[in-house]
């Protein structure tokens, strides 16, 4: 998909192109290609990042907290983890 989008972007401004032909050339789905090119559909990786409640630094803080509890022989329950994650995220975090 990325190569096909680059091919579209390398065309001169106003130059006509066919999503169908480019999709066939690069072996990708035409609909997905047109949506990505028009930025209607984000890549799965971007969608997953946007759906996360905690950023990577907050995740690291949560991991350190869990390790500290484990070192004290206090096994963290799901409720403890969820509550601490909610405090870090400053919003309610689901169990999953």
């Amino acid at each position: 998909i990325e190569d096909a989008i680059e091919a579209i972007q390398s065309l001169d401004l106003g130059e006509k192109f066919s999503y169908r032909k480019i999709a066939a050339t690069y072996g990708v789905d035409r609909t997905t290609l047109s949506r990505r090119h028009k930025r209607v559909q984000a890549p799965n990786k971007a969608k997953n990042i946007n759906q996360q409640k905690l950023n990577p630094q907050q995740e690291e803080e949560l991991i350190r907290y869990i390790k500290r509890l484990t070192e004290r022989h206090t096994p963290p329950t799901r409720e403890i983890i969820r509550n601490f994650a909610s405090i870090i995220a400053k919003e309610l975090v689901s169990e999953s």
Side-chain angles (χ1 to χ4, degrees), residues 21-95:
K21 288 180 183 177
I22 293 175
T25 301
Y26 289 90
V28 297
D29 182 67
R30 180 198 56 80
T31 306
T32 303
L33 175 61
S34 67
R35 286 182 180 165
R36 285 275 174 87
H37 179 247
K38 295 174 184 175
R39 298 181 192 268
V40 173
Q41 178 181 348
N44 286 339
K45 187 175 182 180
K47 285 195 302 191
N48 292 341
I49 289 171
N50 291 335
Q51 291 175 347
Q52 289 182 322
K53 295 284 186 176
L54 303 177
N55 65 39
Q57 292 171 328
Q58 292 169 325
E59 286 181 3
E60 287 297 323
E61 187 175 344
L62 179 61
I63 291 168
R64 284 193 299 273
Y65 177 70
I66 293 169
K67 286 181 179 180
R68 283 195 309 269
L69 288 175
T70 305
E71 288 169 358
R72 289 190 237 153
H73 303 288
T74 309
T77 62
R78 288 180 180 226
E79 186 176 354
I80 292 171
I81 294 170
R82 185 178 63 238
N83 289 339
F84 189 73
S86 294
I87 291 168
I88 294 171
K90 296 181 174 77
E91 65 180 282
L92 189 60
V93 175
S94 70
E95 190 170 307

